[in-house]
Amino acid sequence: MENPEEKPIQFHEMELDDRILKAIVKLQWSVPTLIQEKSIPLQLEGKDVLIRARTGSGKTAAFTIPIIQKILNVKKTAIYQEVKAVILAPSRELCHQICNVINDLTIKCSREVRCVDVAPNISINVQKPMLTEKPDIVVGTPARVLMHLKSGTLDLKKSLEVLVIDEADLIFSFGYKDEMKELTSYLPSIYQAILASATLSEDVLNLKSLVLHNPVTLKLEEPELAPTSQLTHYHLMAEELDKATILYALLKLHLIRGKTIIFVNTVDKCYKLKLFLEQFKIPVCVLNSELPATIRCHSVYQFNQGIYDIIVASDEKALEDTAAVSKKGKTSEQSSKRRKDKESGVSRGIDFQCVSNVLNFDFPLDVQSYIHRAGRTARGNNQGSVLSFINMNEKVLLDKVEERLRAGLKEISIFKKYQFKLEEVEPFKYRAQDAWRAVTRIAVREARLKEIKQEIFNCQKLKGYFEDNPTDLQVLRHDKTLHTVRIQEHLADVPEYILPPSLKSLAGITKRKRKNHNKTGIKSKRNKFEAAKSNPLLSMKFDGFVDKLKKKGKK
């Protein structure tokens, strides 16, 4: 007989406010995830908690629901409006995402619980009036929250009750170590602290000693990724040029369906792949660390809204390992020629919604990066798949990932071989080679310049400047024409003659009916007879008139 104590706790059994429960019903969360079930009661009791759970397990709701409940409890007797909770996250996108979750959960009590996002997506002067109203919850990056504490627009010494640090394993690696140490001096001596992380790295343990007091550690006994019944891993051996050919064939023949994230390892490859696919009229958007925050948020929004079904994302190792030292003694951030935004991490934190496929065009550089990339799909109870293109140099990395994922599992092999015959799409290769070579380094540079110019035109901060200096705007608009890649209209279609017979039905392309010309000429004669019969002018005969002329000639 089953022990009733072992039954999972439902949301309505957690003593949550009815307004929160109504919002949960509207979000269609039927049952709490494992991390929500275990952590929410502990947080409601006021305990410090270290949450360790895999990507996509519902960590955001696990710490936002108790915060909202606590604020609603305080509001029953509160006299003054004060900031009760601060949520710190390493990236602007993640701050925006957390605010969206809070807004969804407080849709029935938006007057009682107010949340403000102070991530660096807007000017600090614009945020100051928002903080003077003392919202209940403040969400932001450590650097921006510290700026407001120093300026005096945010005071937490007497009011703060809950501090949450999301994606805690990235806080130090994104360069916030000094900010976090300084920020703690502005906090009260007693407060509840929550750390949420996908891994228990050394950085997390350092943060734990910095902000937690005798915490409860929730390290759930679950795999780092969704089970193989929910998430399928494929691999396909291919060299660089073959990767481009296969990707073109898979997307153009609709062999990959649903929302797809294509991961590469560098920013330049991100744009190269975008320009390559656009030649075949395959619409994609890009996401990388060098884009301004507004563009990054807009790209994620367009992808989540279904405007684009494909997003090409660069996932540079430099972002997650800023402490790595090169042979010359410089950090990877210092040795980089371009300035990367430390507050952006593509494979981490961002909630890409309803992703069906993750495609590794470049295989990730370590096991942890693969886990975080694969965690973008098969979230919640949804199905998903990961397809990785592997060249000979990347085979070693694949073996390391498989060894890690197989630990503790009964499966002989995690990665399935993707059934794809390269020789069947050999005719595609010539098109793909031409298109790939057309995307030169100059074309990539010009494409990026074009994007920067467009951002300048759309920038609200420069709008006033251009109104006062219209000549500068005209000069910028009539600057030299940028030449990226010539779009050839005929590449948008897939000719029937290059399709292999086995893929025609899958691609949804049927053979066009051709006119049947009878070699014996019987059908053509019948057509002439039918035409003559229907047209009286063609059916007229002049034999009698010709005979009279012959008789006159004889006489």
Side-chain angles (χ1 to χ4, degrees), residues 321-332:
D321 193 14
T322 53
V325 179
S326 65
K327 293 181 180 179
K328 295 181 180 180
K330 296 180 180 180
T331 62
S332 56

Side-chain angles (χ1 to χ4, degrees), residues 258-466:
K259 287 186 177 181
T260 304
I261 303 176
I262 304 173
F263 278 105
V264 294
N265 288 341
T266 63
V267 175
D268 282 346
K269 181 69 74 63
C270 189
Y271 285 94
K272 187 176 179 70
L273 207 55
K274 177 181 185 291
L275 295 174
F276 169 75
L277 294 174
E278 284 181 345
Q279 291 180 78
F280 303 105
K281 291 293 181 73
I282 300 174
V284 299
C285 58
V286 297
L287 191 64
N288 59 70
S289 61
E290 295 180 8
L291 290 171
T294 51
I295 293 182
R296 294 202 304 263
C297 292
H298 186 61
S299 297
V300 174
Y301 175 79
Q302 286 183 314
F303 181 76
N304 288 338
Q305 293 298 312
I307 299 172
Y308 290 97
D309 286 334
I310 303 169
I311 192 166
V312 180
S314 64
D315 181 31
E316 306 105 301
K317 177 64 178 172
L319 279 174
E320 297 191 17
D321 193 14
T322 53
V325 179
S326 65
K327 293 181 180 179
K328 295 181 180 180
K330 296 180 180 180
T331 62
S332 56
E333 188 176 2
Q334 291 170 334
S335 59
S336 176
K337 292 182 180 179
R338 300 194 186 110
R339 176 184 175 273
K340 293 181 174 63
D341 186 353
K342 68 180 182 179
E343 294 174 340
S344 167
V346 173
S347 71
R348 299 295 306 275
I350 302 175
D351 186 18
F352 297 104
Q353 296 174 7
C354 303
V355 177
S356 301
N357 316 287
V358 167
L359 199 153
N360 290 318
F361 190 87
D362 294 331
F363 200 73
L365 301 176
D366 59 20
V367 178
Q368 206 60 42
S369 294
Y370 181 89
I371 291 172
H372 291 307
R373 287 186 185 185
R376 299 302 98 204
T377 185
R379 298 173 74 87
N381 297 319
N382 298 322
Q383 296 288 322
S385 65
V386 182
L387 172 60
S388 300
F389 293 160
I390 309 293
N391 59 33
M392 293 305 295
N393 296 328
E394 295 168 333
K395 184 67 169 63
V396 179
L397 297 171
L398 177 71
D399 295 337
K400 289 182 180 179
V401 171
E402 179 152 26
E403 183 181 355
R404 170 79 168 269
L405 297 182
R406 280 176 55 191
L409 298 178
K410 297 180 180 179
E411 284 89 345
I412 299 174
S413 177
I414 297 293
F415 286 89
K416 298 180 180 179
K417 187 175 181 181
Y418 190 75
Q419 300 300 324
F420 189 89
K421 295 180 180 178
L422 185 59
E423 58 270 16
E424 287 192 345
V425 292
E426 190 68 25
F428 286 77
K429 196 169 186 177
Y430 301 106
R431 287 183 160 212
Q433 285 179 346
D434 291 341
W436 189 255
R437 292 192 184 107
V439 188
T440 61
R441 292 175 64 183
I442 296 175
V444 170
R445 185 190 66 190
E446 298 278 277
R448 300 184 70 174
L449 285 173
K450 184 178 180 181
E451 197 169 59
I452 292 170
K453 285 181 67 175
Q454 190 60 43
E455 177 62 16
I456 291 173
F457 295 144
N458 297 335
C459 182
Q460 292 297 321
K461 293 180 181 179
L462 294 174
K463 190 175 181 181
Y465 173 81
F466 285 135

Side-chain angles (χ1 to χ4, degrees), residues 138-173:
V138 174
V139 183
T141 59
R144 183 50 66 96
V145 171
L146 182 60
M147 288 174 66
H148 284 294
L149 288 170
K150 285 182 175 181
S151 65
T153 53
L154 183 62
D155 185 9
L156 304 175
K157 275 288 185 182
K158 297 180 180 179
S159 64
L160 183 71
E161 293 191 2
V162 182
L163 173 69
V164 177
I165 303 177
D166 194 14
E167 297 291 348
D169 53 338
L170 290 185
I171 289 291
F172 282 177
S173 63

Side-chain angles (χ1 to χ4, degrees), residues 17 49 61 83 87 107 110 132 160 173 210 239 255-256 262 366 377 413 483 490 505:
D17 192 281
V49 181
V83 178
I87 302 175
I107 192 168
S110 56
T132 54
L160 183 71
S173 63
L210 189 64
E239 294 306 317
L255 300 181
I256 291 182
I262 304 173
D366 59 20
T377 185
S413 177
H483 303 284
H490 69 279
S505 58

